[in-house]
Amino acid sequence: MTDKLRAPRGTFDVLPEQSELRASLEAAARELFDAAGYGRVETPAFEATELFSRGVGEATDIVQKEMYTFEDAGGRSLTLRPEGTAPVCRAYVEHGMHRLPAPVKLWYLSSFFRYERAQAGRYRQFWQIGAEALGSDDPAVDAELIVLLATLLERSGTRELRLHLSSLGNPATRAGYREELQAYLHRHEQALSEEVRSRIDLNPLRAFDSDHGPTREVMAGAPRLLDRLDPDDAAHFAELRVLLDRAGVDYEVDATLVRGLDYYTRTVFEFESAALGAQSGVGGGGRYDGLVEELGGPPTPGVGFAAGVERILLAADAQPPAAPGIDLFIAFDGGPASRDAAFAMLLQARQAGLRAEMELAGRSLKGQLKHADRLDAQHVAILAPDGTTLKDMRAATQTEIDTAAVVDSVLAAIGRQQ
Ligand code: HAM
């Protein structure tokens, strides 16, 4: 016997009710980004593996253990995109978008792939709504993006949100800080968790992420990058904070905020929702002033965010909307001639803009009326060899009617004219 076929671990099917919810989130995003001048982009679902190893960073969990990488029949190493920022920057370079007026503002809603341990809110194929602004280092762009994400989350009903904000400065500051932190971690090595100890040289910043008690104690006294920023970066961060304060955005400066991607410089941020369990990050992002150049383009500052569609819906506890009823159900009694007349009426009704359905499953007339009820049909036409009846289900009335007049009659009843 063969095993039952199921969706792969960490993936899910989006059924009609859920797809309604997702469509309204998409509509909210579109409206918000349109108003802010962001144009939608779609990049391929897979890219050259090198894009992510260079862009996201060789030492990150994503590149080390979470990518779906394969060789195609032409011997190229390809990877299902684990995130959207590196692909958008690749497209920016490839299409010479640096020649466009800055900042170039783009958004996307796409699916991404990470081989992670699957649990509630963490999937192997998931969707993100993201936005990227390229070509300006003005802190007002950072502020605009943070306000956009806050607005999107608010409008979608996401509950118990907290915004964590920090700055990572520039690569030189970070390199100096990294050495300082490594030295500090080595001094306290005996208290650190096995995992943190093994990553001191590869990724010492991740030590701030540990939930191992003794490690956390050591980290409480660790030097903070935020205290080591050079004057330009510190000023950039201070200006961003003023803009967010003026915009009335609540945030918490969190010197230990660590993002799982290596391209960040200066601003980093993350919205968390206490309504989610362990996977509390709803959306996050930051500035990546070196990424476009790293990918072969001209020096170009950039900043952006991405938020998980599934996590937004979970944190909003969004309930599927009740299915709207239909305007007309066309039932019939009798043979193929009645069926054909019903089909002609169906096409005419839809042409006229009615939400209309006809009997398609061979039910008895009684069964058809029950089905019309299930569909919450406002009107039911019954076609029979001896004539046509139109029932108004709300008014509970019924009239004999000329078959050709049914559609006009329904249009008139619901206050629309053809
Ligand atoms: P990220 O923090 O890796 O950032 O992902 C952004 C959001 O995607 C997370 O906050 C979470 O809501 C969602 N997410 C991530 N992984 C999963 C998963 N396995 N299952 C479900 N949801 C998930 C980025 O991807 C950056 N590209 C964001 C960015 C844009 N930075 C600058 N521009």
Side-chain angles (χ1 to χ4, degrees):
M1 224 176 77
T2 49
D3 280 342
K4 269 203 184 123
L5 283 173
R6 292 177 165 277
R9 188 171 175 71
T11 69
F12 51 86
D13 299 305
V14 179
L15 301 179
E17 278 192 345
Q18 279 294 320
S19 82
E20 280 300 312
L21 279 177
R22 298 167 78 95
S24 13
L25 182 55
E26 174 170 357
R30 173 180 298 281
E31 188 184 321
L32 193 70
F33 289 128
D34 264 358
Y38 285 70
R40 185 157 178 179
V41 284
E42 186 63 72
T43 59
F46 54 85
E47 298 266 359
T49 301
E50 190 193 348
L51 173 64
F52 301 112
S53 46
R54 264 166 61 186
V56 173
E58 207 63 78
T60 59
D61 276 356
I62 294 182
V63 171
Q64 291 247 312
K65 45 188 189 198
E66 295 173 1
M67 298 207 302
Y68 283 93
T69 296
F70 58 97
E71 201 170 274
D72 73 2
R76 300 168 199 87
S77 179
L78 299 171
T79 293
L80 297 184
R81 58 184 170 197
E83 66 98 49
T85 309
V88 165
C89 290
R90 194 263 312 134
Y92 176 89
V93 175
E94 187 166 332
H95 301 285
M97 287 192 247
H98 60 275
R99 289 188 296 266
L100 299 174
V104 173
K105 304 202 280 189
L106 304 166
W107 77 280
Y108 48 89
L109 196 178
S110 319
S111 65
F112 297 88
F113 307 84
R114 295 184 193 174
Y115 187 75
E116 293 197 80
R117 207 156 40 79
Q119 60 183 79
R122 190 160 71 191
Y123 308 100
R124 291 180 176 172
Q125 181 181 9
F126 56 96
W127 272 254
Q128 285 184 346
I129 295 175
E132 316 287 350
L134 291 135
S136 167
D137 64 3
D138 193 318
V141 187
D142 309 44
E144 163 172 297
L145 281 157
I146 291 172
V147 171
L148 281 171
L149 178 53
T151 309
L152 179 67
L153 295 177
E154 246 162 56
R155 288 190 188 166
S156 35
T158 313
R159 300 161 302 156
E160 300 175 63
L161 283 180
R162 265 163 83 164
L163 170 58
H164 299 254
L165 181 71
S166 191
S167 174
L168 300 180
N170 62 55
T173 312
R174 262 166 98 180
Y177 168 74
R178 198 182 145 98
E179 280 177 23
E180 186 186 351
L181 181 63
Q182 279 167 337
Y184 176 85
L185 291 174
H186 279 302
R187 279 204 303 283
H188 295 84
E189 217 167 323
Q190 69 294 345
L192 301 175
S193 77
E194 182 61 43
E195 206 202 337
V196 168
R197 215 180 311 149
S198 70
R199 295 175 73 92
I200 294 181
D201 295 315
L202 198 58
N203 199 349
L205 280 167
R206 288 308 291 267
F208 286 109
D209 256 359
S210 171
D211 41 24
H212 174 248
T215 302
R216 290 182 74 93
E217 271 170 43
V218 171
M219 297 321 289
R224 300 287 157 103
L225 176 56
L226 212 46
D227 302 323
R228 303 285 188 273
L229 296 185
D230 84 12
D232 280 355
D233 297 334
H236 191 273
F237 191 51
E239 284 172 53
L240 170 60
R241 293 186 56 182
V242 169
L243 291 166
L244 290 178
D245 291 339
R246 289 201 187 132
V249 174
D250 283 332
Y251 59 84
E252 165 182 328
V253 173
D254 177 356
T256 68
L257 179 59
V258 177
R259 306 260 314 128
L261 307 109
D262 273 358
Y263 46 60
Y264 291 117
T265 53
R266 293 187 162 177
T267 312
V268 282
F269 56 92
E270 199 157 274
F271 280 89
E272 284 188 355
S273 168
L276 296 175
Q279 301 306 312
S280 59
V282 187
R287 196 161 258 296
Y288 44 87
D289 291 345
L291 181 56
V292 170
E293 198 175 2
E294 171 67 36
L295 299 177
T300 308
V303 53
F305 70 74
V309 166
E310 294 76 29
R311 293 203 192 159
I312 293 177
L313 295 176
L314 275 173
D317 193 20
Q319 298 303 324
I326 64 171
D327 301 315
L328 175 64
F329 183 78
I330 306 164
F332 62 90
D333 201 7
S338 296
R339 196 268 321 269
D340 294 356
F343 189 70
M345 183 183 290
L346 178 74
L347 298 187
Q348 189 200 349
R350 290 190 185 154
Q351 192 76 40
L354 292 177
R355 294 167 55 86
E357 295 197 46
M358 71 175 274
E359 172 56 25
L360 292 171
R363 294 177 184 82
S364 67
L365 190 56
K366 195 167 155 218
Q368 296 182 46
L369 293 176
K370 220 168 125 189
H371 188 54
D373 221 34
R374 267 199 299 263
L375 295 174
D376 195 18
Q378 279 199 39
H379 299 86
V380 180
I382 303 167
L383 279 59
D386 59 352
T388 296
T389 311
L390 182 60
K391 285 158 111 49
D392 182 327
M393 306 305 277
R394 300 281 188 279
T397 55
Q398 86 176 49
T399 41
E400 305 296 309
I401 188 170
D402 185 1
T403 310
V406 166
V407 168
D408 278 341
S409 174
V410 173
L411 281 170
I414 65 172
R416 267 188 273 159
Q417 293 300 315
Q418 194 160 10

